Amino acid sequence: MSMNNSPNVFLDTNANRFQVNIINESRDNNEASQEDVGSDPPHYEETSFTDEAHNKLRISYRPGKRELYDNFLQRGEKTEASLHPYDTHNKMYYLQTFGHNTMDPVPKIDYYRNTGSVSGNKLNRPSLLEIHEQLAKNIAVSTSSVERVANGESTAGDETTASKEEENKTGLVKFGWVKGVLVRCMLNIWGVMLFIRLSWIVGQAGIGLGVIIILLATMVTSITGLSTSAIATNGFVRGGKIFRVTNAFKPCLGIIVIALSVVVTTLTGISMSAICTNGVVRGGGAYYLISRSLGPEFGGSIGLIFAFANAVAVAMYVVGFAETVVELLKESDTIMVDESNDIRIIGTITVVCLLGISVAGMEWEAKAQVILLVVLLIAIANFFIGTVIPTNNEKKARGFFNYQASIFAENFGPDFRGGEGFFSVFAIFFPAATGILAGANISGDLKDPQGAIPKGTMLAILITTVAYIGVAICAASCVVRDATGNINDTAVSGMSCNGSSACNLGYDFSRCRNQPCDYGLMNNFQVMSMVSGFGPLITAGIFSATLSSALASLVSAPKVFQALCKDNVYKGLHFFAKGYGKNNEPIRGYVLTFVIAMAFILIAELNTIAPIISNFFLASYALINFSCFHASYAKSPGWRPAFRYYNMWVSLFGALLCCGVMFVINWWAALITYAIELFLYIYVTYKKPEVNWGSSTQALYYINALDSALALTAVEDHVKNFRPQCIVLTGAPMIRPALLDITHTFTKNNGLCICCEVYTGPRKLCVKEMNSGMAKKQAWLTKNKRKAFYAAVAADSFRDGVKSLLQASGLGRMKPNTLVIGFKKDWRNAAASQVENYVGVIHDAFDFELGMIIVRISQGFDITQVLQVQEELEKLEQERLALEATIRENDFEEEKSGICGFFRKARKLNISKHETKKESTINTIQSMHMGEFNQKLLEASTQFKKKQGKGTIDIWWLFDDGGLTILIPYILTIRKKWKNCKLRIFTGGKANRIEEEKLVMASLLSKFRIKFADINIICDINMKPNKESWKFFEEMIEPYRLHESCKDITTAEKLKQETPWKITDAELEAFKEKSYRQVRLNELLQEHSRAANLIVLSLPVARKGVVSDYLYMAWLEILSKNLPPTLMVRGNHKNVLTFYS
């Protein structure tokens, strides 16, 4: 029941929680409403979520209020179609949720869709700003979007309705779980292995081991399937598939082999089911699942080899079909050319026919698959029927005796021959158990991939496993291992059978022990044809198995490849991303797959490549299992698969089992597979595709970073591990790149660097601007390969913002310990409050016990003007290119003759005149800006990006601050750009102890293991500067002096109150010696370090509340004036260097 402002809301049985109240704010209507006090206000009420025309709201009338609505609508006032929640000019309408006037929407799926969703329209809920701030009159919101937002309703209706409308509109073909998944998986799992090699497997391994092999193979694929289902129900999955290649014409093993294969497929199926139920599944199948779970690196590498494996598999299946046909031609003596060329001819014709079916559309392909499944089921049923049909002498001579307990007992144990063993038989059979991802591969063409993939895949595994085991047991219970085929080889009465079941049944096949025989489970690959009720049906089953698998691969390969190309992981392959027709068919991918398949059919060397292709598919299975494990292990809240019957450790076991099976099948093929996948992984990692899929790899990065940060908090700080961790007041990073560059030089791969910006002004505007620029500025840092973070705050003043940053930045032990700022070059022209804030920031840094670095370069850091000019020139260049394109298009049209061409020519003349005028304007603007364009500023902004030539870094280590002044330049010298610079040390001392002072400093630096080129002891620091230098200093501070000694006491006190920031005579006199020192130091710097690449200088400290801001700024100005790039450094007076090990 909803709440309403009306007192009678509880009496209204039709009340709904989604309501719209009409509140009239005009004066006339206010008077009318006052006359009607006590009556229920009219309201619109949504009473249905059905797909009515345009999803309009239905109007319900309370008793006695219909006339009011009629009058309201007849007067031509606002109707529901024009309802606008922000219309405050004439009338105001509030939207009600739960009976309250609010813009807050109710939960709705459309708010969570991706942009461009095919199953419904994405809606934008009201921003927090719109709800939090007062309702403004000038907010522009479209009517339709507001109605949808307020009512929790989209114009497309709910997801199901939208999906149906999309299908009706475009004619999309979507498949259910039976036709889309179950049929395809069964056809792919039931390969020709079922008809040709299964009897040989049972003969080799026996019934017992044969069943184990089947179950083991099924277990692996089932775990993968369940993991996939879990992932798929945790998000929306797109198209792409994982392929398997069945080398159907390669010897196989027994029932335990079959059981082992069942175990493998079952494990894989479990993992796949988990993955598939971790969200809405879109086109891309297994590639989509792996890439969205593990990221583009794994997905891109496995997707490419997987698509290639599918394409080659088409050739393998078609060659298998062609070989069967050629065998029939040989029996009827109708070979066209020779066996090899006949295989090529038949294979080519078959691939062309299959391509035609695929290009015709998924609907035709699905119909063909259903027909092939019917044929396959009839063939299997034909075999089981044949086992109970009484045998004849000819079949008995070939080893078929119907069901016999003695034959079952004899064939139960293994009888490996020809060097075969359990694992070799398993390796031969396992490809037959794959194919579980045939349904997942066309995930984009399924109605409900989340439900269809787990249900269809697991049921297909169950049905095919039962069929494999049933055929294996029945064949091994009816047919002996060896038979001669000679009806005259009957047992002589009284002969010793030695436990031979054939002998007990009246036949003597003992000569098969000494010479090869042609019949029996071990020798005849056509056992199923012999046992079946009608042999040609088995041949039809073989045709059905090969053609269905080939058709599935021909459809899957282009769809996987298309999904890979759409993601633009490999930019050169984007050409194949384009789709055609109502189902977005990858025609280009079909052609490419056809070309690859034809190439391998014509080469006809499939035996060599078959193990590699099989390993490609197993690698895909392994990654599906690992994806399920990794997503669970990362513990991301986004991992919420609807499929619950999985376990992360079982998925990991399935992944390891798949990797092991790869080596069991063929060790060198497994190594080649890993090498190719590693190469592609490194390539994609290097290219760094600009995608963000919220992979579990990202989640694990976060978990690892969090664990490391927490572990770091338990580690006590030690001076040996000190590293500069800097807050850099760059503002927007691109505005002061040189300041960031010099800081980044000594923090890259060594310490923390946070680029900070303080927004001051109206809080609402500042917060909005700050929030909108955060991602952009961090992206700029990443794009320009700056290993730094960006942080911003909105504050009442610059100093307050920096205070917040100094206190709150960092995490645990990763907290800044040094503040880096640029020198305020314009301090003499700036407002007193700005100077106060600037100097106050320095005081705050010392209060919070941070080191301080002030960087000064001659041209300054701010390149805003340069960026503005560059932006204007780029706009003009774009306009010029657009104009040239127009001219070229006009030239193309002018090629047509006649009077139309004449008029086009005249129009071109006008355009050319316009172009001339435009170019003239551009040239004028460019020439105008070139005068303003400060080339020196641009060069200065990039000076720290360049490699520094041979030179020196002069360190004026005048005061012991804990070692930061010497540590920063040392770190610079171990960087590639500064490694050619030598350190020169300058420090103060006494004239009569120069050599001793040098030895002391050299000893100290050697203990710190810091190499230096020279040590200079400066003895005359405390001398008075020359008159010209002091005069310049006095003239510089003159505008900021109070001169209170020249005025009477009353006037002086008044001036102090009015301008407290000015320098008093008493202050200047008290700090005269210190002022002398700063001026004298500049003279010495000019004398000794004018040619240095960089100067690192001890920063003077002003006592807080004693030295005025302007006097301190004058010290910094005169100290660093007319010098190379200068770093004024002051540590926090805690050791950052140690000579202990």
Side-chain angles (χ1 to χ4, degrees):
M1 180 177 293
S2 63
M3 298 295 294
N4 193 294
N5 295 331
S6 169
N8 297 326
V9 68
F10 296 105
L11 301 179
D12 187 358
T13 58
N14 295 321
N16 189 279
R17 64 175 181 157
F18 310 109
Q19 300 173 346
V20 181
N21 271 15
I22 303 173
I23 302 176
N24 197 328
E25 290 191 340
S26 65
R27 296 180 180 177
D28 295 337
N29 289 332
N30 281 340
E31 295 172 2
S33 63
Q34 289 175 1
E35 295 174 1
D36 198 23
V37 173
S39 61
D40 293 335
H43 70 284
Y44 290 95
E45 179 177 72
E46 181 186 35
T47 58
S48 174
F49 284 97
T50 57
D51 51 342
E52 298 175 6
H54 307 295
N55 283 344
K56 291 184 177 180
L57 297 177
R58 295 196 325 195
I59 303 175
S60 63
Y61 307 99
R62 292 187 178 176
K65 296 301 177 184
R66 186 180 185 95
E67 294 79 11
L68 180 59
Y69 280 100
D70 291 340
N71 294 335
F72 174 78
L73 296 175
Q74 289 171 4
R75 287 198 304 267
E77 298 180 5
K78 300 277 184 178
T79 64
E80 62 200 73
S82 61
L83 183 62
H84 199 302
Y86 298 116
D87 187 357
T88 59
H89 297 292
N90 297 316
K91 303 181 186 299
M92 185 169 185
Y93 300 89
Y94 292 98
L95 300 172
Q96 273 200 352
T97 304
F98 302 115
H100 297 283
N101 296 326
T102 179
M103 278 301 297
D104 263 342
V106 295
K108 180 72 173 177
I109 190 174
D110 296 309
Y111 298 133
Y112 299 90
R113 296 189 190 280
N114 289 331
T115 304
S117 173
V118 298
S119 58
N121 295 337
K122 174 179 174 55
L123 296 183
N124 294 320
R125 66 177 63 81
S127 68
L128 188 60
L129 183 65
E130 291 173 346
I131 296 175
H132 186 228
E133 297 291 339
Q134 293 182 357
L135 194 63
K137 294 187 177 183
N138 59 348
I139 298 178
V141 183
S142 65
T143 302
S144 58
S145 65
V146 171
E147 289 179 357
R148 292 195 301 257
V149 167
N151 297 320
E153 177 182 88
S154 71
T155 55
D158 59 21
E159 185 175 6
T160 305
T161 304
S163 180
K164 290 180 180 178
E165 290 176 357
E166 186 73 12
E167 288 187 25
N168 295 334
K169 177 180 177 181
T170 62
L172 291 174
V173 178
K174 297 288 185 179
F175 303 111
W177 71 274
V178 175
K179 188 184 290 188
V181 181
L182 180 64
V183 170
R184 294 173 185 277
C185 289
M186 290 172 63
L187 282 170
N188 274 262
I189 296 173
W190 279 332
V192 291
M193 191 77 70
L194 176 68
F195 300 100
I196 296 179
R197 295 293 187 267
L198 190 57
S199 58
W200 179 85
I201 289 174
V202 179
Q204 288 276 359
I207 296 175
L209 286 179
V211 171
I212 291 176
I213 288 176
I214 293 176
L215 293 179
L216 183 58
T218 302
M219 183 180 72
V220 173
T221 53
S222 296
I223 288 181
T224 303
L226 292 176
S227 296
T228 306
S229 297
I231 293 180
T233 54
N234 195 51
F236 200 94
V237 185
R238 304 174 186 262
K241 114 172 198 173
I242 289 196
F243 182 80
R244 54 109 185 162
V245 173
T246 302
N247 186 8
F249 306 93
K250 176 177 169 182
C252 302
L253 299 183
I255 295 292
I256 294 186
V257 172
I258 298 174
L260 185 62
S261 301
V262 171
V263 172
V264 176
T265 54
T266 303
L267 295 177
T268 306
I270 292 172
S271 297
M272 186 181 69
S273 298
I275 297 172
C276 287
T277 56
N278 196 46
V280 182
V281 184
R282 293 184 181 174
Y287 156 72
Y288 182 85
L289 301 178
I290 294 173
S291 62
R292 269 51 175 185
S293 181
L294 293 179
E297 296 83 7
F298 281 105
S301 58
I302 202 64
L304 194 60
I305 66 175
F306 183 67
F308 175 76
N310 274 283
V312 177
V314 175
M316 295 184 66
Y317 291 128
V318 168
V319 168
F321 169 78
E323 286 181 352
T324 306
V325 175
V326 169
E327 288 295 326
L328 296 177
L329 293 178
K330 284 175 61 179
E331 292 178 4
S332 59
D333 197 21
T334 55
I335 295 293
M336 293 179 284
V337 183
D338 56 57
E339 290 188 25
S340 298
N341 286 315
D342 280 9
I343 290 174
R344 293 186 177 97
I345 294 171
I346 296 172
T348 300
I349 296 172
T350 304
V351 170
V352 171
C353 294
L354 294 176
L355 179 65
I357 295 174
S358 301
V359 173
M362 289 295 296
E363 192 172 4
W364 286 95
E365 187 266 349
K367 291 178 180 177
Q369 292 281 29
V370 171
I371 294 173
L372 293 174
L373 179 62
V374 171
V375 173
L376 195 59
L377 290 174
I378 292 174
I380 294 174
N382 177 48
F383 167 77
F384 286 112
I385 292 173
T387 59
V388 296
I389 296 177
T391 184
N392 53 40
N393 292 333
E394 182 180 359
K395 289 185 177 182
K396 288 181 178 179
R398 295 182 178 182
F400 174 50
F401 295 95
N402 293 115
Y403 290 105
Q404 301 292 334
S406 60
I407 296 178
F408 178 87
E410 184 181 57
N411 290 338
F412 189 82
D415 185 16
F416 294 113
R417 303 178 188 175
E420 300 291 352
F422 176 81
F423 287 107
S424 63
V425 174
F426 174 77
I428 293 171
F429 172 78
F430 179 76
T434 60
I436 61 170
L437 297 178
N441 292 333
I442 63 162
S443 54
D445 297 298
L446 300 175
K447 292 179 182 177
D448 178 23
Q450 288 177 281
I453 293 175
K455 188 190 303 182
T457 302
M458 299 310 294
L459 186 58
I461 291 175
L462 176 63
I463 293 174
T464 53
T465 299
V466 171
Y468 269 124
I469 294 177
V471 170
I473 293 176
C474 290
S477 301
C478 300
V479 183
V480 297
R481 281 192 168 100
D482 299 293
T484 60
N486 188 345
I487 60 176
N488 296 320
D489 286 343
T490 56
V492 180
S493 59
M495 69 176 294
S496 176
C497 292
N498 295 324
S500 171
S501 58
C503 179
N504 293 328
L505 295 172
Y507 281 83
D508 181 15
F509 299 143
S510 58
R511 65 187 177 94
C512 292
R513 300 174 185 171
N514 302 318
Q515 64 183 47
C517 294
D518 296 329
Y519 298 96
L521 294 176
M522 301 290 288
N523 310 302
N524 183 14
F525 291 156
Q526 304 297 326
V527 167
M528 287 193 68
S529 296
M530 177 189 68
V531 173
S532 65
F534 183 62
L537 282 179
I538 300 299
T539 303
I542 295 174
F543 289 170
S544 173
T546 53
L547 293 178
S548 64
S549 297
L551 188 58
S553 299
L554 186 58
V555 170
S556 298
K559 289 189 175 292
V560 175
F561 194 58
Q562 182 188 33
L564 176 66
C565 296
K566 277 184 177 180
D567 289 337
N568 211 18
V569 175
Y570 303 99
K571 296 186 183 298
L573 302 178
H574 193 66
F575 171 80
F576 296 97
K578 184 175 177 58
Y580 298 87
K582 59 186 179 180
N583 268 54
N584 196 33
E585 295 291 345
I587 302 298
R588 297 175 180 178
Y590 283 133
V591 174
L592 179 63
T593 304
F594 171 77
V595 171
I596 294 174
M598 281 298 303
F600 280 95
I601 288 173
L602 296 178
I603 293 173
E605 291 292 337
L606 297 181
N607 288 339
T608 303
I609 199 172
I612 300 177
I613 300 303
S614 296
N615 275 277
F616 281 0
F617 298 132
L618 276 169
S620 303
Y621 289 166
L623 278 182
I624 286 182
N625 283 300
F626 185 73
S627 297
C628 183
F629 163 77
H630 199 268
S632 302
Y633 183 74
K635 298 174 183 161
S636 172
W639 173 249
R640 302 182 302 275
F643 187 87
R644 299 298 181 185
Y645 306 104
Y646 75 96
N647 180 273
M648 58 183 289
W649 301 112
V650 173
S651 296
L652 179 61
F653 172 71
L656 297 176
L657 191 58
C658 288
C659 294
V661 170
M662 290 173 66
F663 282 95
V664 166
I665 291 178
N666 192 299
W667 66 268
W668 59 263
L671 292 178
I672 292 175
T673 301
Y674 287 130
I676 295 174
E677 187 172 344
L678 180 62
F679 170 78
L680 293 174
Y681 179 89
I682 294 173
Y683 174 81
V684 176
T685 303
Y686 175 76
K687 288 297 182 180
K688 292 182 180 177
E690 297 179 358
V691 295
N692 182 12
W693 294 327
S695 65
S696 59
T697 305
Q698 294 173 329
L700 198 60
Y701 284 160
Y702 176 83
I703 292 295
N704 291 338
L706 184 61
D707 290 342
S708 298
L710 291 171
L712 191 61
T713 58
V715 178
E716 293 293 332
D717 289 332
H718 194 281
V719 63
K720 287 196 297 183
N721 294 322
F722 176 87
R723 58 195 67 232
Q725 303 192 110
C726 301
I727 281 185
V728 195
L729 299 183
T730 58
M734 63 283 293
I735 299 300
R736 295 177 179 82
L739 182 60
L740 172 60
D741 290 337
I742 187 62
T743 309
H744 187 256
T745 303
F746 57 80
T747 60
K748 180 182 179 182
N749 299 327
N750 189 54
L752 182 68
C753 181
I754 306 177
C755 298
C756 295
E757 184 172 9
V758 178
Y759 288 86
T760 58
R763 183 173 182 81
K764 183 176 179 180
L765 295 177
C766 288
V767 171
K768 183 178 180 181
E769 183 181 358
M770 180 181 69
N771 291 339
S772 62
M774 293 284 285
K776 177 183 176 183
K777 291 164 185 175
Q778 183 63 57
W780 185 90
L781 291 171
T782 304
K783 181 180 179 181
N784 288 273
K785 298 180 180 179
R786 297 293 178 266
K787 294 186 177 181
F789 300 96
Y790 172 77
V793 294
D796 296 331
S797 68
F798 174 73
R799 183 177 182 181
D800 289 341
V802 176
K803 273 185 182 180
S804 300
L805 291 168
L806 294 177
Q807 295 176 83
S809 295
L811 183 68
R813 296 289 182 188
M814 295 186 295
K815 289 185 70 68
N817 53 32
T818 306
L819 175 64
V820 182
I821 61 174
F823 178 73
K824 189 171 181 59
K825 190 179 179 182
D826 64 342
W827 66 274
R828 283 184 278 184
N829 301 320
S833 60
Q834 293 182 2
V835 177
E836 180 185 1
N837 280 333
Y838 182 82
V839 177
V841 165
I842 300 174
H843 289 308
D844 293 336
F846 292 144
D847 287 343
F848 295 129
E849 295 188 340
L850 268 71
M852 188 73 210
I853 300 177
I854 301 177
V855 188
R856 182 173 185 178
I857 58 177
S858 58
Q859 299 297 325
F861 293 105
D862 195 335
I863 62 167
T864 304
Q865 180 185 1
V866 176
L867 297 178
Q868 289 175 347
V869 172
Q870 288 179 345
E871 185 178 356
E872 291 179 11
L873 293 178
E874 287 175 1
K875 288 181 180 178
L876 292 174
E877 179 66 15
Q878 290 175 357
E879 292 180 6
R880 185 184 67 80
L881 294 175
L883 191 60
E884 288 180 356
T886 304
I887 297 298
R888 285 195 299 269
E889 182 181 355
N890 198 61
D891 289 340
F892 176 77
E893 292 180 355
E894 191 188 17
E895 293 178 0
K896 298 180 181 179
S897 60
I899 190 153
C900 293
F902 172 77
F903 286 113
R904 290 193 185 95
K905 188 174 182 179
R907 186 175 62 186
K908 179 188 175 183
L909 183 61
N910 291 333
I911 294 177
S912 298
K913 291 179 180 179
H914 177 71
E915 181 189 24
T916 303
K917 182 178 179 182
K918 186 75 175 179
E919 287 181 349
S920 175
T921 304
I922 292 174
N923 292 332
T924 302
I925 294 175
Q926 287 179 342
S927 61
M928 177 183 67
H929 281 298
M930 286 310 294
E932 303 172 2
F933 190 90
N934 192 333
Q935 188 64 27
K936 290 184 178 180
L937 178 59
L938 185 61
E939 291 176 358
S941 69
T942 60
Q943 62 180 310
F944 297 125
K945 292 181 180 178
K946 302 173 184 176
K947 186 173 182 179
Q948 305 294 318
K950 288 185 178 181
T952 64
I953 298 177
D954 287 1
I955 307 171
W956 289 69
W957 195 11
L958 305 177
F959 310 106
D960 194 331
D961 59 352
L964 186 64
T965 306
I966 200 77
L967 179 63
I968 294 296
Y970 166 75
I971 295 175
L972 289 176
T973 58
I974 63 177
R975 302 301 189 187
K976 186 182 297 184
K977 294 176 182 177
W978 292 86
K979 68 179 181 179
N980 293 327
C981 293
K982 306 298 183 182
L983 297 183
R984 292 199 305 171
I985 312 299
F986 295 84
T987 187
K990 296 179 180 180
N992 59 352
R993 297 195 49 179
I994 291 179
E995 294 303 322
E996 291 85 345
E997 298 283 359
K998 279 188 178 182
L999 290 175
V1000 170
M1001 180 57 68
S1003 174
L1004 179 62
L1005 293 176
S1006 63
K1007 287 185 177 181
F1008 287 148
R1009 302 168 305 280
I1010 293 177
K1011 296 181 180 180
F1012 56 90
D1014 192 16
I1015 296 177
N1016 294 275
I1017 306 299
I1018 307 300
C1019 305
D1020 51 355
I1021 293 178
N1022 292 324
M1023 290 179 58
K1024 287 186 178 180
N1026 61 50
K1027 293 181 180 180
E1028 290 79 9
S1029 299
W1030 181 251
K1031 183 179 179 182
F1032 176 83
F1033 178 77
E1034 287 184 323
E1035 290 175 352
M1036 180 174 60
I1037 64 174
E1038 180 62 30
Y1040 316 107
R1041 291 187 61 181
L1042 189 63
H1043 290 293
E1044 77 279 6
S1045 60
C1046 301
K1047 301 176 178 63
D1048 58 82
I1049 298 177
T1050 304
T1051 305
E1053 291 298 327
K1054 183 178 180 182
L1055 287 175
K1056 284 183 180 180
Q1057 292 178 1
E1058 292 176 352
T1059 55
W1061 45 268
K1062 284 196 172 184
I1063 305 170
T1064 64
D1065 294 339
E1067 177 190 359
L1068 190 60
E1069 184 63 28
F1071 295 102
K1072 194 169 187 177
E1073 292 296 327
K1074 199 165 186 178
S1075 298
Y1076 279 159
R1077 186 188 305 154
Q1078 313 311 321
V1079 178
R1080 177 58 182 162
L1081 278 172
N1082 182 259
E1083 292 177 350
L1084 293 171
L1085 286 163
Q1086 297 283 352
E1087 178 184 349
H1088 295 282
S1089 299
R1090 189 68 183 267
N1093 294 55
L1094 182 71
I1095 297 174
V1096 181
L1097 174 66
S1098 291
L1099 173 70
V1101 178
R1103 291 191 179 275
K1104 186 169 57 173
V1106 178
V1107 179
S1108 63
D1109 298 334
Y1110 276 92
L1111 180 58
Y1112 185 60
M1113 290 303 299
W1115 288 351
L1116 299 182
E1117 173 73 33
I1118 196 64
L1119 182 62
S1120 58
K1121 185 174 179 60
N1122 296 330
L1123 292 174
T1126 302
L1127 272 63
M1128 293 177 277
V1129 181
R1130 174 69 68 156
N1132 62 359
H1133 287 243
K1134 294 180 180 179
N1135 289 346
V1136 300
L1137 296 173
T1138 182
F1139 48 81
Y1140 295 106
S1141 60

